[in-house]
Amino acid sequence: MPKIIFVDADGTRHEVDAKSGISIMENAIANNIDGIEAECGGSCMCATCHCFIEEEFSAGIPEIASDEDEMLGFAAEDRRPGSRLSCQVTMTDEMDGIVVNLPAEQN
Ligand code: FES
């Protein structure tokens, strides 16, 4: 079972057993991770699942699609390298150990 390490804005780390085949957002919700709100339920329409994926893991995940790219412009915290909408990134076994930083705010 792959792991995801969610890191709060204050540096607190939460290592969770993740399920492959569902999104990082769904894994966060399933593990009660604060900092991922996902108001639209994963439809790429709210940007409250914004996260920052550590650069060393970015090569192993799919590129940003145009709708995600556009919606990232509406995120509460400024976009920066590694910004993704976690509902648009499907977890795989190969992503084991991925570090997902969370913004201080989502609204
Ligand atoms: S859950 Fe709404 S954009 Fe990801």
Side-chain angles (χ1 to χ4, degrees):
M1 187 174 267
K3 301 226 184 265
I4 302 175
I5 295 117
F6 291 100
V7 184
D8 294 340
D10 69 2
T12 305
R13 294 166 70 91
H14 310 271
E15 183 174 309
V16 304
D17 291 325
K19 271 193 195 155
S20 293
I22 64 172
S23 69
I24 289 176
M25 175 277 278
E26 290 169 304
N27 274 292
I29 299 295
N31 287 281
N32 301 312
I33 299 296
D34 287 336
I36 296 287
E37 298 194 6
E39 287 174 0
C40 77
S43 304
C44 199
M45 294 181 68
C46 73
T48 63
C49 64
H50 184 203
C51 67
F52 310 105
I53 293 179
E54 292 268 325
E55 197 171 343
E56 65 179 288
F57 298 98
S58 59
I61 60 176
E63 300 218 344
I64 297 176
S66 60
D67 54 347
E68 180 185 356
D69 191 44
E70 192 176 324
M71 191 52 63
L72 276 166
F74 294 96
E77 197 159 306
D78 286 346
R79 185 173 178 165
R80 59 182 199 236
S83 275
R84 296 299 301 257
L85 294 181
S86 58
C87 70
Q88 299 301 301
V89 182
T90 300
M91 189 65 192
T92 66
D93 290 349
E94 291 70 34
M95 289 158 62
D96 181 33
I98 191 168
V99 177
V100 178
N101 294 296
L102 302 170
E105 58 180 320
Q106 288 284 18
N107 280 305

